[in-house]
Amino acid sequence: MNCTEFSEQVTALTAGTMPEGNRDEYLAHAKVCAGCSAALRGRHATLLVEMLPLEEPPAGSFERIATNVTRSRPQRGTSRSFWSGAAFGGAVAASLLAIVLMLGVFQPPADPAQTVAEFYVSAEEPRMMHVAIEVDRALPGAEISILLTGNVEVQGFGSRRELNWSDDLDAGVNKLSLPLVASGEGGGQMVVRLSHPDSEQLFVIDLPLDSEVS
Amino acid sequence: MSEYDSAKSRFTALVQEHFSALYGAARRLTSSPSDAEDLVQDVCLKAFESIDELERIEFRRAWLLKVLYHKFIDRRREFSRSPVDQADTGADSFEPEQIARSEIRPDEQLDRDARIVQIIRAMGILNKDDCSLLALHDIEGYSLDELQQLTGLKTGTIKSRLYRTRSKLGRLLSSEALQQPILKVVGGKK
């Protein structure tokens, strides 16, 4: 048994289609070979993804996307911003919101806290909110804080209400994407605090529940 | 026929028959239908930009799926820069017999859902070409011969890359860093 032989049979081994006698030999090899052991784990992972059911696209989605795409002018070799859905209009407008937060260093903040926009959250599915943070020069070590109130969560962070971290902001537009999901009735608010030794800004974003908006 | 109608007609002729496969693959990789649509729209834009090339391609669905996996990784990197090193990231603690057992008990279902999230996350850390090659073979079911024709790589090279990428994915899944949610600003004016 060598790694090449193992690699060729890893699918059969993972799928359970390998004869019992051979199986023991391959498993014994995986126990002593770190590379093949990891490959077995990797193949098991891709098998789990392969086993996921294939969902059908929503009705009308091809026509909608085809219209969006073909109305844009082909620009070979150009890079698009991360506003992939919003750039094309209404196709997924309910799930996307572009918010530009300006952190003007060397300028005093206008208001202690400004309400900048609304974004509708849903309990049915996470919705990605894209936030653009624009700064007029690079800000290494900027502190970013997000405080959630009400029944809204950042997907993957469970019931944590406050997230704090430090990051280097580049001059220009910096991008932050947050998958938000409603955890109950009433929606909530998100407070974003951007701070740096030169400046601090607070922004409040209303997060009403989609079903409560008429 | 106007220029717009002509462009839309060409696009529809090339892409529509593969749309369900694209959406299905995207839905496996994303947490919501709207995210899946966003991802597919990225792929469709690339297809439209490359429509002359797409008309010449034999394995059109594979080409579109490859773009989809590339765009998936682009999007993952926009959301998070993982602290997980792509090199060897830790010891394996599993028993090969557990992994080789393909059946899943009902009480393992919840664990499996969480596991899928980790797997998708780990796939998003892989090199784009490696990830798409692995996904086309292991998940989408393309044969080595088909991948050879699609990529122009030798069969031995493809096998070697599949093995390396599976190993890398397996090591990433062993990494504790992968268990923690990651939130980062992705900076830079383009």
Side-chain angles (χ1 to χ4, degrees), chain B:
Chain B
M1 183 181 284
S2 69
E3 186 180 344
Y4 166 72
D5 288 338
S6 172
K8 189 172 179 181
S9 175
R10 286 176 74 197
F11 174 82
T12 299
L14 292 172
V15 177
Q16 188 168 26
E17 68 176 301
H18 308 298
F19 188 75
S20 289
L22 285 176
Y23 181 84
R27 192 66 189 88
R28 283 169 163 171
L29 298 170
T30 53
S31 57
S32 71
S34 60
D35 284 349
E37 261 194 65
D38 285 355
L39 181 54
V40 173
Q41 183 162 276
D42 275 1
V43 178
C44 288
L45 182 70
K46 174 68 177 175
F48 187 60
E49 290 174 347
S50 312
I51 200 156
D52 293 338
E53 179 188 351
L54 194 58
E55 281 179 329
R56 295 192 298 269
I57 288 173
E58 183 181 358
F59 296 103
R60 212 163 277 145
R61 180 173 299 189
W63 186 90
L64 290 165
L65 286 166
K66 179 181 171 186
V67 172
L68 184 136
Y69 283 99
H70 282 201
K71 295 291 182 185
F72 154 70
I73 288 183
D74 287 342
R75 284 174 159 262
R76 297 292 299 190
R77 289 176 184 168
E78 282 169 357
F79 174 58
S80 65
R81 292 172 184 158
S82 170
V84 179
D85 191 344
Q86 292 193 20
D88 199 338
T89 48
D92 289 338
S93 58
F94 75 106
E95 289 298 318
E97 288 86 347
Q98 295 172 348
I99 300 298
R101 180 170 55 81
S102 58
E103 71 274 17
I104 294 165
R105 297 194 310 268
D107 61 341
E108 293 177 326
Q109 182 62 43
L110 283 177
D111 286 345
R112 194 178 74 153
D113 291 345
R115 184 83 176 146
I116 293 291
V117 171
Q118 289 175 3
I119 292 166
I120 299 302
R121 198 178 202 175
M123 287 174 64
I125 298 170
L126 295 171
N127 168 283
K128 282 199 281 194
D129 286 332
D130 289 344
C131 178
S132 60
L133 191 70
L134 182 68
L136 286 174
H137 184 269
D138 280 11
I139 299 172
E140 307 296 342
Y142 285 88
S143 69
L144 292 173
D145 286 345
E146 288 169 326
L147 292 178
Q148 185 184 15
Q149 293 179 60
L150 178 71
T151 63
L153 297 171
K154 294 178 179 174
T155 304
T157 304
I158 295 171
K159 285 181 181 177
S160 170
R161 280 179 56 182
L162 288 173
Y163 176 78
R164 279 204 319 269
T165 309
R166 286 188 195 117
S167 296
K168 189 177 289 183
L169 181 63
R171 286 195 294 271
L172 284 169
L173 289 165
S174 302
S175 166
E176 286 186 9
L178 204 67
Q179 319 301 317
Q180 301 300 318
I182 298 159
L183 197 60
K184 295 273 283 186
V185 166
V186 180
K189 196 169 202 172
K190 293 185 178 177

